[in-house]
Amino acid sequence: MNNGCAQCHSVQTQDIEATISSEQMRGPDLSQIGSEHDADWIVAYVKREQAVDGEQHRVPYAGNDDDLRAVADWLVQPQ
Ligand code: HEC
């Protein structure tokens, strides 16, 4: 996964391991995200347009929309 997401997120089904050492910054494994949310939701959440229980994504997204869309589409593929 590019765009720095894999610093904080594992995708265990793809043998991607989060590299960040801080447990506090580390996000959940995203292997199953497609069963809970669609790509539109992921884009909105990471861009902080969509909150969950009043919580926004930990870090603001600094990349471009096309890249984020590509990552979101990839994440919701059955893996
Ligand atoms: C600096 C660490 C960090 C980076 C970089 C990061 N995230 Fe996250 N992410 C988190 C944390 C921590 C959470 C847990 C919720 C929270 O506290 O924000 C999270 C939550 C999520 C969730 C919700 C998971 C769920 O099960 O509800 C998604 C989806 C997500 N991130 C996608 C991404 C994508 C896509 C990228 C790259 C564009 C990315 N994240 C980059 C730390 C990060």
Side-chain angles (χ1 to χ4, degrees):
M1 204 176 358
N2 51 11
N3 295 306
C5 312
Q7 247 188 292
C8 301
H9 292 282
S10 301
V11 185
Q12 276 172 1
T13 50
Q14 298 295 307
D15 285 331
I16 296 172
E17 272 299 323
T19 53
I20 203 157
S21 53
S22 158
E23 287 293 330
Q24 223 182 350
M25 290 305 285
R26 185 181 297 229
D29 184 275
L30 296 178
S31 303
Q32 306 300 329
I33 192 74
S35 63
E36 291 160 37
H37 300 288
D38 62 16
D40 288 340
W41 183 92
I42 296 173
V43 168
Y45 179 67
V46 173
K47 288 174 73 177
R48 296 180 144 186
E49 290 163 357
Q50 163 86 53
V52 177
D53 299 332
E55 299 278 331
Q56 293 180 315
H57 190 233
R58 183 71 52 92
V59 283
Y61 178 68
N64 75 45
D65 284 4
D66 288 348
D67 288 347
L68 179 56
R69 168 62 58 176
V71 173
D73 283 343
W74 179 81
L75 279 170
V76 299
Q77 302 287 315
Q79 306 199 11

